[in-house]
Coordinates of all heavy atoms in Angstrom, one line a residue:
M1 N -8.4 -4.0 73.9 CA -9.1 -4.1 72.6 C -8.1 -3.8 71.4 O -8.3 -4.5 70.4 CB -10.3 -3.2 72.5 CG -10.9 -3.2 71.1 SD -12.2 -2.0 70.9 CE -13.6 -2.9 71.3
A2 N -7.2 -2.9 71.6 CA -6.3 -2.6 70.6 C -5.5 -3.8 70.1 O -5.2 -4.0 68.9 CB -5.3 -1.5 71.0
K3 N -5.1 -4.7 71.1 CA -4.3 -5.9 70.7 C -5.2 -6.8 69.9 O -4.7 -7.4 68.9 CB -3.9 -6.6 72.0 CG -3.0 -7.8 71.7 CD -2.5 -8.4 73.0 CE -1.6 -9.6 72.6 NZ -1.1 -10.3 73.8
A4 N -6.4 -7.0 70.2 CA -7.3 -7.8 69.4 C -7.5 -7.3 68.0 O -7.5 -8.0 67.1 CB -8.7 -8.0 70.1
L5 N -7.6 -6.0 67.9 CA -7.8 -5.3 66.6 C -6.6 -5.5 65.7 O -6.6 -5.8 64.5 CB -8.1 -3.8 66.8 CG -9.5 -3.5 67.3 CD1 -9.6 -2.1 67.7 CD2 -10.6 -3.9 66.3
K6 N -5.4 -5.4 66.4 CA -4.1 -5.6 65.6 C -4.1 -7.1 65.1 O -3.7 -7.3 64.0 CB -2.9 -5.3 66.5 CG -2.7 -3.9 66.7 CD -1.6 -3.6 67.7 CE -1.4 -2.2 68.0 NZ -0.4 -1.9 69.0
L7 N -4.4 -8.0 66.0 CA -4.4 -9.4 65.6 C -5.4 -9.7 64.4 O -5.1 -10.4 63.5 CB -4.7 -10.3 66.7 CG -3.7 -10.4 67.8 CD1 -4.2 -11.2 69.0 CD2 -2.4 -11.1 67.3
M8 N -6.6 -9.1 64.5 CA -7.6 -9.2 63.5 C -7.1 -8.6 62.1 O -7.2 -9.2 61.1 CB -8.9 -8.5 63.8 CG -10.0 -8.7 62.8 SD -11.4 -7.5 63.1 CE -10.7 -6.0 62.6
R9 N -6.4 -7.5 62.2 CA -5.8 -6.8 61.0 C -4.8 -7.7 60.4 O -4.7 -7.9 59.2 CB -5.3 -5.5 61.4 CG -4.6 -4.7 60.3 CD -5.5 -4.1 59.2 NE -5.8 -5.1 58.2 CZ -6.9 -5.1 57.4 NH1 -7.8 -4.2 57.6 NH2 -7.2 -6.0 56.5
E10 N -3.9 -8.3 61.2 CA -2.8 -9.2 60.7 C -3.5 -10.4 60.0 O -3.0 -10.8 58.9 CB -1.9 -9.6 61.8 CG -1.0 -8.6 62.4 CD -0.2 -9.0 63.6 OE1 -0.2 -10.2 63.9 OE2 0.3 -8.1 64.3
A11 N -4.5 -11.0 60.6 CA -5.1 -12.2 60.1 C -5.8 -11.8 58.7 O -5.7 -12.6 57.8 CB -6.2 -12.8 61.0
A12 N -6.5 -10.7 58.7 CA -7.2 -10.3 57.5 C -6.2 -10.0 56.4 O -6.4 -10.4 55.2 CB -8.0 -9.0 57.7
T13 N -5.1 -9.4 56.7 CA -4.1 -9.1 55.7 C -3.4 -10.3 55.1 O -3.2 -10.5 53.9 CB -3.0 -8.1 56.3 OG1 -3.7 -6.9 56.7 CG2 -1.9 -7.8 55.2
S14 N -3.1 -11.2 56.0 CA -2.3 -12.4 55.6 C -3.2 -13.4 54.8 O -2.7 -14.2 54.1 CB -1.7 -13.1 56.8 OG -2.7 -13.7 57.7
T15 N -4.5 -13.3 55.0 CA -5.4 -14.2 54.3 C -6.2 -13.6 53.2 O -7.1 -14.2 52.6 CB -6.4 -14.9 55.3 OG1 -7.2 -13.8 55.9 CG2 -5.7 -15.7 56.3
A16 N -5.9 -12.3 52.9 CA -6.6 -11.5 51.9 C -8.1 -11.4 52.1 O -8.9 -11.5 51.2 CB -6.3 -12.1 50.5
C17 N -8.4 -11.4 53.4 CA -9.9 -11.3 53.8 C -10.1 -9.8 54.2 O -9.2 -9.0 54.4 CB -10.2 -12.2 55.0 SG -10.2 -13.9 54.5
C18 N -11.4 -9.5 54.4 CA -11.8 -8.2 54.8 C -11.9 -8.2 56.3 O -12.5 -9.1 56.9 CB -13.1 -7.9 54.1 SG -13.7 -6.3 54.6
G19 N -11.3 -7.2 57.0 CA -11.5 -7.1 58.4 C -12.7 -6.2 58.7 O -12.8 -5.1 58.3
Q20 N -13.7 -6.8 59.4 CA -14.9 -6.1 59.8 C -15.2 -6.3 61.3 O -14.7 -7.2 61.9 CB -16.1 -6.5 59.0 CG -16.6 -7.9 59.4 CD -18.0 -8.2 58.9 OE1 -18.5 -7.5 58.0 NE2 -18.6 -9.1 59.5
R21 N -15.9 -5.3 61.8 CA -16.1 -5.4 63.3 C -17.4 -4.6 63.6 O -17.6 -3.6 63.1 CB -14.9 -4.8 64.0 CG -15.0 -4.6 65.5 CD -14.4 -5.8 66.2 NE -14.2 -5.5 67.6 CZ -15.1 -5.5 68.5 NH1 -16.4 -5.6 68.2 NH2 -14.9 -5.2 69.8
G22 N -18.2 -5.2 64.5 CA -19.3 -4.5 65.1 C -18.7 -3.5 66.2 O -17.6 -3.7 66.5
H23 N -19.5 -2.6 66.7 CA -18.9 -1.6 67.5 C -19.9 -0.8 68.3 O -21.1 -0.9 68.1 CB -18.1 -0.6 66.7 CG -19.0 -0.2 65.5 ND1 -20.1 0.6 65.6 CD2 -19.0 -0.7 64.2 CE1 -20.7 0.7 64.5 NE2 -20.1 -0.1 63.6
G24 N -19.4 0.0 69.2 CA -20.2 1.0 69.9 C -19.7 2.3 69.4 O -18.6 2.4 68.9
D25 N -20.4 3.4 69.6 CA -20.0 4.7 69.0 C -18.7 5.2 69.6 O -18.0 5.9 68.9 CB -21.2 5.7 69.1 CG -21.8 5.8 70.5 OD1 -21.5 4.9 71.3 OD2 -22.6 6.7 70.7
L26 N -18.4 4.9 70.8 CA -17.2 5.4 71.4 C -15.9 4.6 70.9 O -14.8 5.1 71.0 CB -17.2 5.2 72.9 CG -18.3 6.1 73.6 CD1 -18.3 5.8 75.1 CD2 -18.1 7.5 73.3
Q27 N -16.1 3.5 70.2 CA -15.0 2.7 69.8 C -14.6 3.0 68.3 O -13.6 2.5 67.9 CB -15.4 1.2 69.9 CG -15.7 0.7 71.3 CD -16.2 -0.7 71.3 OE1 -16.9 -1.1 70.4 NE2 -16.0 -1.4 72.4
I28 N -15.4 3.8 67.6 CA -15.1 4.0 66.2 C -13.7 4.5 65.9 O -13.0 3.9 65.1 CB -16.2 4.9 65.6 CG1 -17.6 4.3 65.6 CG2 -15.8 5.3 64.2 CD1 -18.7 5.2 65.2
P29 N -13.3 5.6 66.6 CA -11.9 6.1 66.3 C -10.8 5.0 66.6 O -9.8 5.0 65.8 CB -11.7 7.3 67.2 CG -13.1 7.7 67.6 CD -13.9 6.5 67.6
L30 N -11.0 4.2 67.6 CA -10.0 3.2 67.9 C -9.9 2.2 66.8 O -8.9 1.7 66.5 CB -10.4 2.5 69.2 CG -9.6 1.3 69.7 CD1 -8.1 1.8 70.0 CD2 -10.2 0.7 70.9
M31 N -11.0 1.8 66.2 CA -11.1 0.7 65.2 C -10.7 1.1 63.8 O -10.2 0.3 63.0 CB -12.5 0.1 65.2 CG -12.8 -0.6 66.4 SD -14.4 -1.5 66.2 CE -15.5 -0.2 66.3
L32 N -10.8 2.4 63.5 CA -10.6 2.8 62.1 C -9.3 2.4 61.5 O -9.3 1.9 60.3 CB -10.8 4.3 61.9 CG -12.2 4.8 62.1 CD1 -12.2 6.3 62.0 CD2 -13.1 4.2 61.0
P33 N -8.1 2.4 62.2 CA -6.9 2.0 61.5 C -6.8 0.5 61.2 O -6.0 0.1 60.4 CB -5.8 2.4 62.5 CG -6.4 3.3 63.5 CD -7.9 3.0 63.5
Y34 N -7.7 -0.3 61.8 CA -7.6 -1.7 61.8 C -8.6 -2.4 60.9 O -8.5 -3.6 60.6 CB -7.6 -2.3 63.2 CG -6.6 -1.8 64.1 CD1 -6.9 -0.9 65.1 CD2 -5.2 -2.2 64.0 CE1 -5.9 -0.3 65.9 CE2 -4.3 -1.7 64.8 CZ -4.6 -0.7 65.8 OH -3.7 -0.2 66.6
V35 N -9.7 -1.7 60.6 CA -10.8 -2.4 59.9 C -11.0 -1.9 58.5 O -10.6 -0.8 58.2 CB -12.1 -2.2 60.7 CG1 -12.1 -2.9 62.0 CG2 -12.6 -0.8 60.8
D36 N -11.5 -2.7 57.6 CA -11.9 -2.4 56.2 C -13.3 -1.9 56.2 O -13.6 -1.1 55.3 CB -11.7 -3.6 55.3 CG -10.3 -4.1 55.3 OD1 -9.4 -3.2 55.1 OD2 -10.0 -5.3 55.5
M37 N -14.1 -2.3 57.1 CA -15.5 -1.9 57.1 C -16.1 -2.0 58.5 O -15.5 -2.7 59.3 CB -16.4 -2.8 56.1 CG -16.6 -4.2 56.6 SD -17.7 -5.3 55.7 CE -17.9 -4.5 54.2
L38 N -17.2 -1.3 58.8 CA -17.8 -1.4 60.0 C -19.2 -2.0 59.9 O -19.8 -1.9 58.8 CB -17.9 0.0 60.6 CG -16.6 0.7 60.9 CD1 -16.7 2.2 60.9 CD2 -16.0 0.2 62.2
Q39 N -19.6 -2.7 60.9 CA -20.9 -3.4 60.8 C -21.9 -2.9 61.9 O -21.5 -2.7 63.0 CB -20.6 -4.9 61.1 CG -21.8 -5.8 61.2 CD -21.3 -7.2 61.4 OE1 -20.5 -7.8 60.7 NE2 -21.8 -7.8 62.5
V40 N -23.1 -2.7 61.4 CA -24.2 -2.3 62.3 C -25.2 -3.5 62.4 O -25.8 -3.8 61.3 CB -24.9 -1.0 61.9 CG1 -26.1 -0.7 62.8 CG2 -23.9 0.1 61.8
G41 N -25.4 -4.1 63.5 CA -26.4 -5.1 63.7 C -27.8 -4.6 64.0 O -28.0 -3.4 64.1
A42 N -28.7 -5.6 64.2 CA -30.1 -5.3 64.4 C -30.3 -4.3 65.5 O -31.2 -3.4 65.5 CB -30.9 -6.6 64.5
R43 N -29.6 -4.5 66.6 CA -29.9 -3.7 67.8 C -29.5 -2.3 67.6 O -30.0 -1.4 68.3 CB -29.1 -4.3 69.0 CG -29.8 -5.5 69.6 CD -29.1 -5.9 70.9 NE -28.1 -6.9 70.5 CZ -27.0 -7.2 71.1 NH1 -26.7 -6.6 72.2 NH2 -26.2 -8.1 70.7
N44 N -28.6 -2.0 66.7 CA -28.1 -0.6 66.5 C -28.7 0.1 65.3 O -28.3 1.2 65.0 CB -26.6 -0.5 66.4 CG -26.0 -0.7 67.8 OD1 -26.4 0.0 68.7 ND2 -25.0 -1.5 68.0
M45 N -29.6 -0.6 64.6 CA -30.2 0.0 63.4 C -31.0 1.3 63.7 O -31.2 2.1 62.8 CB -31.2 -1.0 62.7 CG -30.5 -2.2 62.1 SD -29.8 -1.7 60.5 CE -31.2 -1.7 59.5
Q46 N -31.4 1.5 65.0 CA -32.1 2.7 65.3 C -31.4 3.5 66.3 O -31.9 4.4 67.0 CB -33.5 2.3 65.9 CG -34.4 1.7 64.8 CD -35.8 1.3 65.4 OE1 -36.0 1.5 66.6 NE2 -36.6 0.8 64.5
N47 N -30.1 3.3 66.4 CA -29.2 4.1 67.2 C -28.7 5.2 66.4 O -27.6 5.2 65.7 CB -28.0 3.2 67.8 CG -27.1 4.0 68.6 OD1 -27.0 5.2 68.7 ND2 -26.2 3.3 69.4
F48 N -29.5 6.3 66.3 CA -29.2 7.4 65.4 C -27.9 8.1 65.7 O -27.3 8.6 64.7 CB -30.4 8.3 65.3 CG -31.6 7.5 64.7 CD1 -32.7 7.3 65.5 CD2 -31.7 7.0 63.4 CE1 -33.8 6.6 65.1 CE2 -32.7 6.3 63.0 CZ -33.8 6.1 63.8
N49 N -27.5 8.2 66.9 CA -26.3 8.9 67.2 C -25.1 8.1 66.6 O -24.2 8.7 66.0 CB -26.1 9.0 68.8 CG -27.0 10.0 69.4 OD1 -27.4 11.0 68.7 ND2 -27.4 9.8 70.6
L50 N -25.2 6.8 66.8 CA -24.1 5.9 66.2 C -24.2 6.0 64.6 O -23.1 6.2 64.0 CB -24.4 4.4 66.6 CG -23.5 3.4 65.9 CD1 -22.0 3.6 66.2 CD2 -23.9 2.0 66.3
L51 N -25.3 6.0 64.0 CA -25.4 6.1 62.6 C -24.9 7.4 62.1 O -24.2 7.4 61.0 CB -26.9 5.8 62.1 CG -27.5 4.5 62.5 CD1 -28.9 4.4 62.1 CD2 -26.7 3.4 61.7
R52 N -25.2 8.5 62.8 CA -24.6 9.8 62.4 C -23.1 9.8 62.4 O -22.4 10.3 61.5 CB -25.2 10.9 63.2 CG -26.6 11.4 62.8 CD -27.0 12.7 63.5 NE -27.5 12.4 64.8 CZ -28.7 12.0 65.1 NH1 -29.6 11.8 64.2 NH2 -29.1 11.7 66.4
E53 N -22.5 9.2 63.5 CA -21.1 9.1 63.6 C -20.5 8.3 62.5 O -19.5 8.6 61.9 CB -20.7 8.6 65.0 CG -20.9 9.5 66.1 CD -20.2 10.8 65.9 OE1 -19.0 10.9 65.6 OE2 -20.9 11.9 66.1
L54 N -21.2 7.2 62.1 CA -20.7 6.4 61.0 C -20.8 7.1 59.7 O -20.0 6.8 58.8 CB -21.5 5.0 61.0 CG -21.2 4.1 62.1 CD1 -22.2 2.9 62.1 CD2 -19.8 3.6 62.1
G55 N -21.7 8.0 59.6 CA -21.8 8.8 58.3 C -20.6 9.7 58.1 O -20.3 10.1 57.0
K56 N -19.9 10.0 59.1 CA -18.7 10.8 59.0 C -17.4 10.0 58.7 O -16.4 10.6 58.3 CB -18.4 11.5 60.3 CG -19.6 12.5 60.7 CD -19.3 13.0 62.1 CE -20.5 13.8 62.7 NZ -20.3 14.2 64.1
V57 N -17.5 8.7 58.8 CA -16.4 7.8 58.5 C -16.2 7.5 57.1 O -17.2 7.3 56.4 CB -16.6 6.5 59.4 CG1 -15.5 5.5 59.0 CG2 -16.6 6.8 60.8
R58 N -15.0 7.5 56.6 CA -14.8 7.2 55.2 C -14.5 5.7 54.9 O -13.5 5.3 54.3 CB -13.6 8.0 54.6 CG -13.8 9.5 54.8 CD -14.9 10.1 53.9 NE -14.6 9.9 52.5 CZ -15.5 10.0 51.6 NH1 -16.7 10.3 51.9 NH2 -15.1 9.8 50.3
K59 N -15.3 4.8 55.5 CA -15.2 3.4 55.4 C -16.6 2.8 55.1 O -17.6 3.4 55.5 CB -14.7 2.7 56.7 CG -13.3 3.2 57.1 CD -12.4 2.1 57.1 CE -11.0 2.6 57.6 NZ -10.0 1.7 57.3
P60 N -16.7 1.7 54.4 CA -18.0 1.1 54.1 C -18.6 0.7 55.5 O -18.0 0.3 56.4 CB -17.7 -0.1 53.3 CG -16.3 0.0 52.8 CD -15.6 1.0 53.7
V61 N -20.0 0.7 55.5 CA -20.7 0.3 56.6 C -21.7 -0.8 56.2 O -22.5 -0.6 55.2 CB -21.5 1.4 57.3 CG1 -22.4 1.0 58.4 CG2 -20.6 2.5 57.7
L62 N -21.7 -2.0 56.8 CA -22.6 -3.1 56.6 C -23.7 -3.0 57.5 O -23.5 -3.1 58.7 CB -21.8 -4.4 56.7 CG -22.6 -5.7 56.6 CD1 -23.2 -5.8 55.2 CD2 -21.8 -6.9 57.0
L63 N -24.9 -2.8 57.0 CA -26.1 -2.9 57.8 C -26.6 -4.3 57.8 O -26.9 -4.9 56.7 CB -27.2 -2.0 57.3 CG -26.9 -0.5 57.2 CD1 -28.0 0.3 56.5 CD2 -26.7 0.0 58.6
K64 N -26.7 -5.0 59.0 CA -27.0 -6.4 59.0 C -28.2 -6.7 59.9 O -28.3 -6.2 61.0 CB -25.7 -7.1 59.6 CG -25.8 -8.6 59.6 CD -24.5 -9.1 60.3 CE -24.9 -9.5 61.6 NZ -24.5 -10.2 62.6
R65 N -29.1 -7.5 59.4 CA -30.2 -8.0 60.1 C -30.3 -9.5 60.0 O -29.8 -10.1 59.0 CB -31.5 -7.4 59.6 CG -31.7 -5.9 59.7 CD -32.1 -5.5 61.1 NE -33.4 -6.1 61.5 CZ -34.3 -5.5 62.1 NH1 -34.2 -4.3 62.5 NH2 -35.4 -6.2 62.4
G66 N -31.0 -10.1 60.9 CA -31.2 -11.6 60.8 C -32.2 -11.9 59.7 O -33.0 -11.1 59.2
I67 N -32.2 -13.1 59.2 CA -33.1 -13.6 58.1 C -34.6 -13.5 58.5 O -35.4 -13.2 57.6 CB -32.7 -15.0 57.7 CG1 -33.4 -15.4 56.4 CG2 -33.1 -16.0 58.8 CD1 -32.7 -15.0 55.2
A68 N -34.9 -13.5 59.8 CA -36.3 -13.5 60.2 C -36.9 -12.1 60.0 O -38.1 -11.9 60.1 CB -36.4 -13.9 61.7
H69 N -36.0 -11.1 59.8 CA -36.5 -9.7 59.7 C -36.6 -9.2 58.3 O -36.6 -8.0 58.1 CB -35.5 -8.8 60.5 CG -35.5 -9.1 61.9 ND1 -36.5 -8.8 62.8 CD2 -34.5 -9.8 62.7 CE1 -36.2 -9.3 64.0 NE2 -35.0 -9.8 64.0
I70 N -36.7 -10.0 57.3 CA -36.9 -9.6 56.0 C -38.4 -9.4 55.7 O -39.1 -10.3 55.5 CB -36.3 -10.6 55.0 CG1 -34.8 -10.7 55.2 CG2 -36.6 -10.2 53.5 CD1 -34.1 -11.8 54.4
E71 N -38.8 -8.2 55.8 CA -40.2 -7.8 55.6 C -40.2 -6.3 55.2 O -39.2 -5.6 55.3 CB -41.0 -8.1 56.8 CG -40.4 -7.4 58.0 CD -41.0 -7.8 59.4 OE1 -41.1 -9.0 59.6 OE2 -41.4 -7.0 60.1
T72 N -41.4 -5.8 54.9 CA -41.5 -4.4 54.5 C -41.0 -3.4 55.6 O -40.3 -2.5 55.3 CB -42.9 -4.0 54.2 OG1 -43.3 -5.0 53.1 CG2 -43.0 -2.6 53.6
S73 N -41.3 -3.7 56.9 CA -40.9 -2.8 57.9 C -39.4 -2.8 58.1 O -38.8 -1.7 58.4 CB -41.6 -3.1 59.3 OG -41.2 -4.4 59.7
A74 N -38.8 -3.9 57.9 CA -37.3 -4.0 58.0 C -36.7 -3.2 56.8 O -35.7 -2.5 57.0 CB -36.8 -5.4 57.9
L75 N -37.3 -3.2 55.7 CA -36.8 -2.4 54.6 C -36.8 -0.9 54.9 O -35.9 -0.2 54.6 CB -37.6 -2.7 53.3 CG -37.2 -1.9 52.1 CD1 -35.7 -2.1 51.7 CD2 -38.1 -2.2 50.9
R76 N -37.9 -0.5 55.5 CA -38.0 0.9 56.0 C -36.9 1.3 57.0 O -36.3 2.3 56.9 CB -39.3 1.2 56.6 CG -40.4 1.4 55.6 CD -41.7 2.0 56.2 NE -42.8 1.5 55.5 CZ -43.7 0.5 55.8 NH1 -43.6 0.0 57.0 NH2 -44.6 0.1 55.1
E77 N -36.6 0.3 57.9 CA -35.5 0.5 58.8 C -34.2 0.7 58.1 O -33.3 1.5 58.5 CB -35.4 -0.6 59.9 CG -36.5 -0.5 60.9 CD -36.3 -1.6 61.9 OE1 -35.2 -1.9 62.3 OE2 -37.3 -2.2 62.3
Y78 N -33.9 -0.2 57.2 CA -32.6 -0.1 56.4 C -32.5 1.3 55.7 O -31.5 2.0 55.8 CB -32.6 -1.1 55.3 CG -32.1 -2.5 55.7 CD1 -32.9 -3.6 55.8 CD2 -30.7 -2.7 56.1 CE1 -32.5 -4.8 56.1 CE2 -30.3 -3.9 56.5 CZ -31.1 -5.0 56.5 OH -30.7 -6.2 56.9
L79 N -33.6 1.7 55.1 CA -33.6 3.0 54.4 C -33.4 4.2 55.3 O -32.7 5.1 55.1 CB -34.9 3.2 53.5 CG -35.0 2.2 52.4 CD1 -36.4 2.3 51.7 CD2 -33.9 2.3 51.4
M80 N -34.1 4.1 56.5 CA -33.9 5.2 57.5 C -32.5 5.2 58.0 O -31.9 6.3 58.2 CB -34.9 5.0 58.6 CG -36.3 5.4 58.2 SD -37.6 5.1 59.5 CE -36.8 5.1 61.0
A81 N -31.9 4.0 58.3 CA -30.6 3.9 58.8 C -29.6 4.5 57.8 O -28.7 5.3 58.1 CB -30.2 2.5 59.2
A82 N -29.7 4.1 56.5 CA -28.9 4.6 55.5 C -29.0 6.1 55.3 O -28.0 6.8 55.1 CB -29.2 3.9 54.2
A83 N -30.2 6.6 55.4 CA -30.4 8.1 55.2 C -29.7 8.8 56.4 O -29.2 9.9 56.2 CB -31.9 8.4 55.1
T84 N -29.8 8.2 57.5 CA -29.2 8.9 58.7 C -27.6 9.0 58.6 O -27.0 10.0 58.9 CB -29.5 8.1 60.0 OG1 -30.9 8.1 60.1 CG2 -28.9 8.8 61.2
M85 N -27.0 8.0 57.9 CA -25.6 8.0 57.8 C -25.1 8.9 56.6 O -24.0 9.2 56.6 CB -25.1 6.5 57.5 CG -25.1 5.6 58.7 SD -24.3 4.1 58.3 CE -25.5 3.3 57.3
R86 N -26.0 9.2 55.8 CA -25.7 10.0 54.6 C -25.1 11.4 54.9 O -25.2 12.1 55.7 CB -26.9 10.2 53.7 CG -26.6 10.6 52.3 CD -27.8 10.5 51.5 NE -28.9 11.1 52.1 CZ -29.8 11.8 51.6 NH1 -29.7 12.1 50.3 NH2 -30.8 12.3 52.2

């Protein structure tokens, strides 16, 4: 995985793009030197252990859901996830 992260970092740097990556909670320390932001998808929006660990990281976190999930309950999930990371 480290080789792939290095390649992603090189590509992001050479194209002036942002390097972002989804992850599991055990991979966070490995990814930090290579990414500009971390991404949490729909399946991990209620993974509170992961969200607490991301709250300790000094990088932006993108909370991402599919277009089909734009509703009031999804808004509550976003707010709960953000509060957990705080």
Side-chain angles (χ1 to χ4, degrees):
M1 176 188 267
K3 184 176 180 180
L5 289 169
K6 287 177 186 175
L7 291 171
M8 183 192 72
R9 176 75 273 156
E10 289 173 15
T13 301
S14 67
T15 60
C17 289
C18 180
Q20 70 162 19
R21 173 94 166 73
H23 46 76
D25 48 350
L26 298 176
Q27 299 170 331
I28 295 170
L30 175 65
M31 289 189 286
L32 288 178
Y34 303 105
V35 298
D36 298 309
M37 69 173 19
L38 297 156
Q39 174 180 307
V40 176
R43 281 185 271 154
N44 282 313
M45 289 281 284
Q46 294 180 356
N47 181 342
F48 298 112
N49 291 330
L50 173 64
L51 296 172
R52 276 191 283 279
E53 289 302 311
L54 289 172
K56 299 174 188 174
V57 173
R58 303 294 298 165
K59 299 246 182 192
V61 177
L62 172 66
L63 297 174
K64 185 184 105 168
R65 294 280 302 221
I67 191 86
H69 297 287
I70 299 177
E71 56 192 51
T72 304
S73 62
L75 178 59
R76 281 192 211 107
E77 284 184 40
Y78 275 112
L79 295 174
M80 286 177 23
T84 302
M85 287 188 288
R86 194 170 51 139

